[in-house]
Amino acid sequence: MVYVEFSTISKHFGTSVAVADLDLQIEQGEFFSLLGPSGCGKSTTLRMLAGFVKPTTGQIRVNGRNVTALPPEARDIGIVFQNYAIFPHMTVFDNIAFGLVERKLPRAEIKQKVDAALAEVGMTGFEDRYERELSGGQKQRVALARVLVIEPEILLLDEPLSALDKKMREEMKYWIKNIQKSVGITTIYVTHDQSEALTMSDRIAVMDQGRVLQIGTPVEIYEQPASRFIAEFIGESNLLDGTALDVHGAVCSIDIDGTTVTGRLTQNNAAIKGQAVTLLVRPEMIRLHSLDASEKPKLNGTVREIIYQGSVVRYRIQIGHQHVMVEVANRPDLARLDLDDDVEVYWNADSGVAIP
Amino acid sequence: MERKIPLPMLILAILGFCYLLFPILVVVLAGLTTGEFLTFPPKGLSLRWVISFLNSEKYLSAFFFSFKLALMTMIVSTILGTAVALFIARSRFVGRTALRAFFLSPVVLPGVVVGFALYAFFITSGLGISRTIWGLWIGHILYSTPYVIGTVGASLATFDVSLEEAARSLGASPMRAFRKITFPNIAQGIQAGSIFAFIVSFGQFEVSLFLSAPNSEPLPIAMYNSLRYKFEPDAAAAGIFAITLVIASVLLTNRLVNIRRLLERQDG
Ligand SMILES: Nc1ncnc2c1ncn2[C@@H]1O[C@H](COP(=O)(O)OP(=O)(O)OP(=O)(O)O)[C@@H](O)[C@H]1O
Ligand SMILES: [Mg+2]
């Protein structure tokens, strides 16, 4: 069931266009991410849903109700800000109680709900602390508790992990996802970090310059990126330039420096025959040692760089005038290569994606 | 003990302190003189002129008139200045900086100009408020409000708007969000601004010169008028009371704000 719907939403600031003709449909209970580079309009989109920014055109519906003209306090939406926005003059208890006090709940009920929320985020015992007495991760938990305690229809998170250090970020990523799952709340998550989006989301919308480029599950976005921009933005990519030779349904044969390889087309597009295409192969999809003689295609290359990373070894391989990065698991059954070794480069026919 | 600031800075700071404290010392000592005339250093110390001030109908009434005027000015300037500062900080339009400069201009305009302009306006407009406490009040508000705009504007510049947005999103109306979130966080700036407004009004001279009524003079005008004819130390004694009042008002507001904070923390 569609729960949140943006229809032809756009936002102009003076002459600059922050969001253009946005159409989004988000399901109930879904964890939906807006992913894109800085300045692409993610926060503006979120803030329009929260009611802080008025769209220039279009309509936003939540649960069938048109909320476009409603002020934030009438929307029943919880938002967690990048800097958490913990009220500095109030204790943790009063911060979490704020929304309940505004809803004029009886004192005893407020106390009981705040206690439950504190327990849920693992902050019991911190009631009397002030913002300045909390670490980044603790502020994060308080900010989330403050929002969840009012049981909003939608949870909005604007880059909630970007102020934390790397280790904390990893930890909070799973923690937020677990809480979201157990509460079952429809969540929209803004980030410019593709790994966050891939790990946490049910679906991702990739944005650039105020437009949505592709919407899909993490698997679809990663394995079938619709454009070169998305391929480069999400994960690490090897992009090989070639010419489309022939198209059979969703399979395209491509000439790369005289060798014919195949790639999947993300959309049926017979018209690209004879034109320049880009072949995307992820570093971990490439093999340097054939385990199966039937594996196609086969390109000849030379090892130009070796990067040892413990669990994996990365090789930069030169193929003709192009280069690919290859990531190989560091296992005893896979022989190590040396600089300037000549190698044969393979990948599963399904692992190459032809991008027009 | 470890010294936190470099030595040359420390020396400059001490010099600065002395420089700023010297006039106060002059006033206090001159007011405590035993002699007949206003001199520095004083000829012996006594409370003679302090007592004379307390018995002087002219100075006492001027002192309380100034006090009342400064209080009235403070109240209006604080409300007006806070509103203007909020407006400037929150609205996004071209010419916002120009507007800020415009609102701050009474600070840079010579008081004589402001005083004369208002006087001329009151006279010619026939409002009937020239040389009344109302006209004087208007002049003082005009002169004091920019200080409130300045201090409140500064505290708004460091106030994170997302705090207010968070409150709105949690169900607070704009008014409630201001009262419960924004106001407590800019209270220091408002407090500083109101003290400024009080002090500026209490010590205001040029505007008062044009706008005050002959029978109800603020303290600086009363002092000036009396010193024009005789160089008596009761003017300095009045100065002692003025200084005491200013220091007391600063301490008192500090205390009041702290009490308010304490109360706020208790009523959950
Ligand atoms: N209040 C505003 N006034 C003018 N321009 C704005 C305003 N808010 C955003 N913009 C512009 O709109 C565009 C999109 O901004 P937005 O904050 O939505 O980007 P973002 O995707 O969240 O970026 P980031 O990852 O850096 O947070 C930017 O070019 C920004 O400069
Ligand atoms: Mg943003």
Side-chain angles (χ1 to χ4, degrees):
Chain A
M1 185 193 120
V2 175
Y3 199 64
V4 180
E5 186 171 23
F6 287 76
S7 322
T8 57
I9 283 288
S10 60
K11 178 65 194 176
H12 300 196
F13 290 108
T15 53
S16 82
V17 179
V19 174
D21 285 332
L22 186 79
D23 285 299
L24 279 182
Q25 297 189 333
I26 296 159
E27 303 283 312
Q28 182 151 30
E30 194 174 21
F31 195 114
F32 192 92
S33 290
L34 297 173
L35 173 66
S38 186
C40 71
K42 309 179 293 283
S43 295
T44 305
T45 305
L46 205 67
R47 292 168 61 75
M48 285 193 281
L49 179 53
F52 304 137
V53 174
K54 212 170 135 350
T56 311
T57 65
Q59 201 185 69
I60 303 175
R61 303 181 78 84
V62 174
N63 202 4
R65 181 171 67 133
N66 182 0
V67 300
T68 322
L70 291 183
E73 62 269 26
R75 292 199 184 194
D76 203 14
I77 287 174
I79 180 163
V80 173
F81 294 87
Q82 186 168 359
N83 57 4
Y84 315 128
I86 307 292
F87 306 136
H89 60 298
M90 292 184 182
T91 60
V92 166
F93 185 95
D94 290 341
N95 262 278
I96 300 177
F98 188 89
L100 302 173
V101 171
E102 290 306 305
R103 283 164 177 69
K104 302 197 168 54
L105 262 59
R107 265 185 110 88
E109 197 179 340
I110 291 179
K111 169 101 176 71
Q112 176 219 328
K113 285 194 180 216
V114 173
D115 285 346
L118 279 165
E120 182 165 29
V121 299
M123 289 288 287
T124 306
F126 287 81
E127 299 66 354
D128 296 329
R129 298 255 190 128
Y130 285 91
E131 184 225 27
R132 57 183 178 278
E133 300 164 337
L134 299 174
S135 73
Q138 291 167 341
K139 285 182 208 170
Q140 165 92 269
R141 287 164 193 263
V142 173
L144 203 58
R146 183 174 71 183
V147 163
L148 291 178
V149 78
I150 61 169
E151 296 168 28
E153 290 179 330
I154 306 167
L155 173 63
L156 307 181
L157 301 150
D158 193 351
E159 312 222 13
L161 302 180
S162 59
L164 301 176
D165 64 42
K166 195 171 175 334
K167 191 164 168 292
M168 198 67 202
R169 210 149 55 213
E170 286 301 311
E171 204 180 306
M172 295 306 278
K173 208 150 78 174
Y174 298 104
W175 183 79
I176 290 179
K177 176 67 192 173
N178 282 336
I179 289 229
Q180 187 268 337
K181 233 193 243 160
S182 72
V183 177
I185 186 170
T186 310
T187 301
I188 303 178
Y189 186 93
V190 160
T191 181
H192 61 256
D193 182 318
Q194 43 98 15
S195 87
E196 278 172 25
L198 289 176
T199 320
M200 302 167 83
S201 316
D202 295 320
R203 281 192 308 151
I204 300 171
V206 184
M207 291 182 71
D208 186 39
Q209 296 181 5
R211 292 179 185 280
V212 169
L213 303 179
Q214 187 178 3
I215 299 177
T217 64
V219 174
E220 285 164 355
I221 299 280
Y222 187 76
E223 295 183 7
Q224 295 164 38
S227 72
R228 194 182 168 115
F229 172 85
I230 299 169
E232 285 185 310
F233 191 72
I234 315 276
E236 202 187 343
S237 318
N238 291 304
L239 295 164
L240 295 164
D241 295 323
T243 314
L245 296 176
D246 214 351
V247 177
H248 300 286
V251 180
C252 174
S253 54
I254 301 162
D255 175 75
I256 293 174
D257 297 336
T259 308
T260 303
V261 300
T262 57
R264 279 177 302 122
L265 278 170
T266 47
Q267 59 256 44
N268 256 328
N269 190 351
I272 68 167
K273 200 164 150 178
Q275 290 179 10
V277 287
T278 304
L279 185 73
L280 161 74
V281 202
R282 302 289 185 184
E284 70 279 9
M285 301 288 186
I286 300 181
R287 278 180 244 166
L288 298 174
H289 302 269
S290 173
L291 301 174
D292 173 0
S294 70
E295 220 170 22
K296 293 258 178 181
K298 188 182 93 177
L299 294 164
N300 293 314
T302 313
V303 178
R304 289 298 179 212
E305 195 177 353
I306 302 171
I307 303 157
Y308 180 79
Q309 290 185 331
S311 64
V312 293
V313 183
R314 295 163 60 83
Y315 298 99
R316 187 165 60 82
I317 310 287
Q318 184 176 6
I319 302 170
H321 66 280
Q322 308 194 64
H323 295 262
V324 291
M325 286 305 298
V326 182
E327 198 173 280
V328 180
N330 190 4
R331 289 205 319 252
D333 58 321
L334 300 176
R336 291 269 191 81
L337 297 169
D338 283 321
L339 225 50
D340 297 326
D341 277 0
D342 287 327
V343 288
E344 291 180 328
V345 180
Y346 299 87
W347 59 84
N348 197 302
D350 258 2
S351 305
V353 180
I355 300 170
Chain B
M1 202 188 80
E2 204 183 334
R3 214 171 45 227
K4 295 262 167 53
I5 58 170
L7 189 61
M9 294 277 266
L10 190 68
I11 293 169
L12 275 178
I14 291 169
L15 282 176
F17 263 122
C18 295
Y19 177 63
L20 292 172
L21 282 176
F22 188 68
I24 295 177
L25 195 74
V26 170
V27 168
V28 172
L29 288 181
L32 294 175
T33 187
T34 23
E36 286 295 322
F37 300 103
L38 200 52
T39 53
F40 188 83
K43 295 193 174 72
L45 294 177
S46 79
L47 289 177
R48 179 182 164 190
W49 295 105
V50 173
I51 291 160
S52 156
F53 164 80
L54 287 174
N55 288 325
S56 134
E57 170 66 22
K58 180 187 67 180
Y59 274 131
L60 266 191
S61 66
F63 186 88
F64 285 113
F65 180 78
S66 270
F67 186 82
K68 187 174 85 176
L69 181 65
L71 216 56
M72 284 164 56
T73 302
M74 181 184 90
I75 291 167
V76 178
S77 290
T78 303
I79 296 170
L80 211 61
T82 302
V84 170
L86 272 168
F87 178 77
I88 295 176
R90 292 300 157 76
S91 48
R92 309 234 157 273
F93 56 90
V94 262
R96 194 165 134 252
T97 14
L99 189 73
R100 183 194 299 270
F102 173 75
F103 274 115
L104 293 178
S105 63
V107 176
V108 290
L109 274 182
V112 177
V113 175
V114 176
F116 178 72
L118 277 174
Y119 180 61
F121 172 70
F122 290 157
I123 291 280
T124 53
S125 65
L127 285 172
I129 52 172
S130 72
R131 301 241 176 240
T132 66
I133 185 171
W134 307 114
L136 187 61
W137 190 27
I138 291 173
H140 276 221
I141 291 167
L142 185 69
Y143 212 75
S144 305
T145 306
Y147 292 91
V148 182
I149 299 175
T151 56
V152 176
S155 62
L156 276 172
T158 56
F159 175 78
D160 179 4
V161 184
S162 57
L163 292 178
E164 208 175 272
E165 290 176 345
R168 293 290 302 279
S169 207
L170 290 167
S173 65
M175 201 53 220
R176 293 269 306 167
F178 177 78
R179 212 164 65 70
K180 295 196 72 181
I181 306 300
T182 314
F183 179 74
N185 283 293
I186 62 169
Q188 300 250 323
I190 297 176
Q191 179 203 350
S194 64
I195 292 176
F196 261 125
F198 182 88
I199 295 172
V200 164
S201 163
F202 196 81
Q204 224 302 317
F205 179 72
E206 308 98 304
V207 173
S208 303
L209 194 61
F210 283 96
L211 301 178
S212 60
N215 54 350
S216 50
E217 289 170 336
L219 190 59
I221 301 295
M223 284 174 165
Y224 172 72
N225 282 339
S226 114
L227 287 174
R228 274 206 304 192
Y229 304 113
K230 46 187 176 31
F231 220 51
E232 269 180 1
D234 53 356
I240 294 177
F241 281 89
I243 290 167
T244 315
L245 178 73
V246 165
I247 293 173
S249 66
V250 172
L251 292 179
L252 187 72
T253 8
N254 260 326
R255 182 55 58 85
L256 285 180
V257 168
N258 284 340
I259 288 170
R260 194 185 52 71
R261 287 232 155 146
L262 276 177
L263 289 178
E264 195 152 85
R265 268 165 207 182
Q266 261 142 36
D267 69 26

